[in-house]
């Protein structure tokens, strides 16, 4: 289908993106067409030119008035009627029968120049039928956090939704205090959540599951299309992707904060950046969300919660798996059993890569666990400690600089001797190993205090730090000598920054 000339483009402008209606064509009751609500005095605070190119937007569009209007919810884009979708979810373990895009609108579906499919979604774009009593807005603080984190995770090679631009405004939005409204344009192949299936399953509307699942297969798992067992196939794939995603989070010290099933992507993407955090000092019990008092979503719980969430997805899709309920349960159980195996394989591999070990040997899991326990006991900085391992000389006696940041030296020194011995058996030289390790152990992550500094500047009208962090985090594995201070141990007050669900 050809795109009608975008309504917001200047007269005579060429079509911007091939426009399609894929998810939106599911229609009611999955999707409601609802206009966006423009923000007052919008300002393009940041534009992600790299992503724009990937999806097929000309970089020059950032300077166009129509683009700002489109990205601030001021009218439909290219004739596409904005749409919001309904879902449900288990929030902190409790089923909530109706949630949905309460402040998000799909504003375009397209195919990029390389054939990849994309959906563009505004977040903070006004009330929808799924807003309940909330205002449909997002504040600048949380929008910056989502914008930076999506791109930081992408640069780390972790599956995630992306972010095209950040729009700030003068519109007052009341949270604990009055803040200002903002919008992020999120971009992903699709935004279907575990909770989309839960919505229909728990209402007993089993016949509504298939159209959603067929959409997923057709658009996102075409390799399974036409197969009689296509639903089992995509559910297996999502279960294994989720298991591998959990391993990727653990390996960079990323804590999601709100691992509710409505925040879990049916494409295996990291989705909905709320009170997330990259750990500074390692603490296996770390809870990044101030609201999560029981620590349900603590760092060390994430893999088990990911597993449980998959069990909820499989429960909600039982009617797709077989007509006979017992047979469906048997299929779902077999799929769910893939999770621990996929997680263990991915996690062991990830830790081994972080230690620079090419092949896995018998004692390696113990060697890995001992190092993690040493960091945990002294709350040594997670990112710096792993990055510092690359400087360990396999044949040397001199302590690596990393040792100065380790508290548990009684554990570390004998571990270092064993690690060196193990490295000598690797058969590659130190330089090659260090180069390899530096592609998996990032130097720069989006530490809370860095995001906070960017937020405070932005709230005062200066988006320079947002831009600097975007540039920095685009290359998290590179040394970037001029940016060294961003890799420093955070100041003590960083430990007191509280992030909650307020957004
Ligand atoms: P979250 O905690 O951001 O994952 O949101 C949970 C649910 O509340 C989702 O259905 C959101 O769409 C909805 N929601 C959160 N904040 C707002 C808001 N300010 N206005 C409308 N809906 C919201
Ligand atoms: Mg959410």
């Amino acid at each position: 289908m050809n795109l009608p000339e975008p309504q917001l483009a200047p007269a005579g402008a060429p079509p911007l993106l091939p426009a399609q209606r894929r998810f939106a064509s599911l229609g009611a009751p999955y999707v409601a067409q609802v206009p966006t609500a423009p923000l007052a005095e919008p300002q393009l605070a940041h534009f992600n030119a790299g992503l724009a190119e990937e999806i097929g937007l000309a970089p020059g569009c950032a300077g166009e008035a129509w683009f700002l209007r489109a990205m601030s919810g001021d009218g439909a884009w290219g004739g596409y009627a904005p749409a919001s979708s309904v879902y449900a979810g288990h929030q902190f373990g409790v089923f909530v029968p109706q949630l949905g895009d309460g402040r998000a609108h799909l504003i375009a579906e397209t195919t990029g120049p390389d054939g990849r499919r994309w959906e563009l979604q505004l977040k903070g774009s006004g009330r929808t039928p799924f807003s309940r009593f909330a205002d449909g807005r997002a504040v600048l603080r949380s929008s910056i956090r989502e914008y930076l984190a999506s791109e930081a995770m992408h640069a780390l090679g972790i599956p995630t939704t992306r972010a095209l631009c950040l729009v700030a405004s003068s519109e007052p939005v009341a949270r604990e205090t009055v803040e200002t409204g903002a919008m992020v344009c999120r971009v992903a192949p699709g935004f279907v959540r575990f909770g989309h299936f839960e919505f229909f399953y728990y209402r007993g509307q089993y016949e509504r599951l298939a159209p959603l699942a067929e959409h997923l297969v057709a658009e996102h798992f075409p390799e399974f299309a036409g197969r009689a067992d296509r639903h089992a196939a995509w559910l297996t794939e999502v279960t294994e992707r989720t298991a591998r995603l959990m391993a990727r989070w653990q390996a960079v010290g990323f804590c999601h904060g709100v691992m509710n099933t409505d925040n879990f992507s049916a494409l295996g993407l990291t989705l909905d950046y709320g009170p997330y955090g990259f750990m500074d000092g390692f603490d296996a019990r770390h809870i990044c969300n101030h609201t999560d008092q029981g620590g349900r979503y603590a760092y060390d719980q994430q893999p088990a919660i990911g597993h449980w969430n998959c069990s909820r997805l499989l429960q909600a899709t039982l009617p797709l798996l077989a007509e006979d309920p017992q047979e469906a349960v048997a299929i779902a159980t077999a799929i769910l059993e893939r999770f621990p195996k996929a997680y263990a394989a991915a996690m062991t591999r990830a830790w081994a890569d972080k230690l620079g070990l090419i092949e896995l040997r018998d004692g390696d899991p113990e060697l890995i666990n001992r190092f993690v326990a040493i960091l945990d006991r002294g709350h040594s900085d997670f990112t710096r400690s792993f990055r510092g391992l690359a400087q360990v000389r396999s044949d040397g006696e001199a302590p690596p600089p990393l040792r100065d940041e380790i508290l548990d030296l009684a554990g570390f020194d004998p571990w270092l001797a064993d690690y060196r011995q193990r490295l000598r058996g690797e058969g590659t030289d130190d330089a090659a190993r260090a180069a390899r390790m530096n592609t998996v152990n990032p130097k720069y992550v989006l530490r809370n205090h860095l995001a906070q500094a960017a937020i405070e500047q932005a709230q005062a009208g200066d988006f320079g730090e947002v831009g600097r962090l975007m540039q920095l985090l685009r290359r998290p594995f590179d040394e970037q000598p001029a940016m060294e201070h961003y890799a420093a141990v955070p100041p003590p007050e960083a430990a007191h920054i509280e992030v909650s669900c307020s957004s």
Side-chain angles (χ1 to χ4, degrees):
M1 194 198 312
N2 279 332
L3 177 82
E5 192 167 300
Q7 291 174 351
L8 297 171
L16 280 165
L17 294 171
Q20 292 136 2
R21 279 187 97 72
R22 301 184 300 248
F23 184 71
S25 72
L26 283 170
Y30 307 93
V31 191
Q33 287 187 11
V34 51
T36 53
L39 276 177
E41 299 184 280
Q43 180 191 356
L44 190 63
H46 201 273
F47 175 71
N48 186 349
L51 177 59
E53 199 180 326
E54 277 186 62
I55 67 178
L57 269 175
C61 67
E64 308 272 1
W66 60 261
F67 182 76
L68 178 59
R69 290 183 58 194
M71 294 299 139
S72 61
D74 193 0
W77 191 23
Y80 185 97
S84 299
S85 73
V86 70
Y87 49 84
H90 279 84
Q91 298 192 315
F92 290 90
V94 179
F95 184 65
V96 180
Q98 190 184 318
L99 298 159
D101 297 326
R103 50 170 166 175
H105 295 76
L106 201 54
I107 57 158
E109 299 181 66
T110 190
T111 302
D114 62 1
R116 278 185 294 164
R117 292 174 173 203
W118 298 106
E119 293 180 11
L120 277 66
Q121 186 188 67
L122 288 182
K123 182 168 175 182
S125 39
R127 304 196 77 238
T128 77
F130 318 113
S131 304
R132 296 183 288 179
F133 303 106
D135 58 10
R137 290 304 192 198
V139 295
L140 180 61
R141 165 176 54 81
S142 65
S143 302
I144 289 175
R145 286 176 54 84
E146 169 134 25
Y147 189 66
L148 291 173
S150 335
E151 289 307 297
M153 291 287 270
H154 173 70
L156 288 168
I158 300 176
T160 177
T161 60
R162 310 280 309 272
L164 177 65
C165 63
L166 169 72
V167 171
S169 83
S170 63
E171 188 156 318
V173 173
R175 295 293 180 260
E176 283 82 0
T177 60
V178 177
E179 303 183 46
T180 54
M183 280 184 210
V184 169
C185 180
R186 303 201 285 198
V187 178
F191 291 92
V192 178
R193 300 153 187 262
F194 287 14
H196 276 97
F197 292 94
E198 293 182 289
F199 177 81
F200 297 106
Y201 176 77
Y202 288 100
R203 298 178 146 219
Q205 297 177 342
Y206 301 157
E207 74 287 359
R208 305 263 198 223
L209 295 169
L212 200 51
E214 299 298 356
H215 161 81
L216 264 189
V217 171
E219 297 298 333
H220 306 295
F221 303 95
E223 63 276 27
F224 303 137
R227 273 169 50 174
D229 67 345
R230 62 195 174 284
H231 297 309
W234 74 260
L235 284 161
T236 303
E237 177 66 21
V238 174
T239 300
E240 291 186 342
R241 278 190 201 180
T242 305
R244 291 195 295 268
L245 184 67
M246 296 303 101
R248 305 297 302 270
W249 289 0
Q250 299 305 96
V252 296
F254 175 79
C255 302
H256 182 283
V258 197
M259 294 172 65
N260 297 336
T261 53
D262 50 298
N263 291 339
F264 260 54
S265 153
L267 303 186
L269 308 171
T270 311
L271 170 68
D272 273 13
Y273 292 91
Y276 66 84
F278 285 87
M279 263 193 292
D280 293 321
F282 182 64
D283 173 8
R285 296 287 309 148
H286 180 67
I287 304 166
C288 68
N289 177 0
H290 187 61
T291 321
D292 180 14
Q293 282 162 354
R296 178 179 170 87
Y297 299 140
Y299 170 80
D300 64 356
Q301 300 302 301
Q302 294 193 130
I305 292 289
H307 187 202
W308 188 80
N309 286 352
C310 287
S311 81
R312 296 304 81 213
L313 174 63
L314 285 159
Q315 173 84 46
T317 48
L318 281 176
L320 295 172
L321 291 173
E323 265 174 43
D324 170 39
Q326 284 191 342
E327 194 189 333
V329 169
I331 296 170
T333 305
I335 295 172
L336 193 59
E337 278 168 8
R338 309 279 281 256
F339 186 105
K341 290 182 196 119
Y343 172 74
M347 195 71 257
T348 308
R349 189 63 257 163
W351 289 130
D353 288 342
K354 290 177 81 68
L355 262 63
L357 309 176
I358 294 176
E359 57 176 56
L360 275 172
R361 299 194 184 162
D362 275 351
D364 288 348
E366 197 212 334
L367 192 72
I368 293 164
N369 289 338
R370 274 169 67 200
F371 184 63
V372 173
I374 288 162
L375 301 187
D376 195 20
R377 270 195 293 278
H379 290 193
S380 307
D381 189 86
F382 184 85
T383 304
R384 292 174 60 85
S385 298
F386 277 104
R387 182 78 178 186
L389 281 181
Q391 289 169 300
V392 172
R393 295 278 309 270
S394 58
D395 54 356
E397 287 294 314
L402 149 76
R403 187 178 184 276
D404 295 343
E405 294 182 30
I406 301 288
L407 221 61
D408 176 19
L409 290 176
F412 182 74
D413 288 335
W415 178 85
L416 181 63
D418 292 345
Y419 179 51
R420 281 184 161 137
Q421 193 182 8
R422 172 65 183 82
L423 291 180
R424 286 195 289 274
E426 268 295 294
T428 60
D429 64 33
D430 283 345
R433 178 178 47 83
R436 225 171 42 237
M437 292 170 79
N438 287 345
T439 65
V440 291
N441 293 321
K443 171 134 183 170
Y444 302 101
V445 292
L446 181 57
R447 296 171 185 273
N448 253 337
H449 75 104
L450 299 178
Q452 188 58 28
I455 289 166
E456 285 169 21
Q457 262 198 20
Q459 286 171 334
D462 178 357
F463 296 100
E465 191 62 13
V466 171
R468 267 187 299 280
L469 287 180
M470 281 291 274
Q471 213 172 345
L472 174 81
L473 298 170
R474 215 164 259 153
R475 297 191 292 124
F477 299 108
D478 293 356
E479 280 296 324
Q480 307 191 51
M483 309 297 255
E484 194 70 31
H485 55 289
Y486 286 101
V489 176
E493 48 295 2
H496 305 298
I497 298 171
E498 283 179 357
V499 283
S500 70
C501 285
S502 153
S503 59

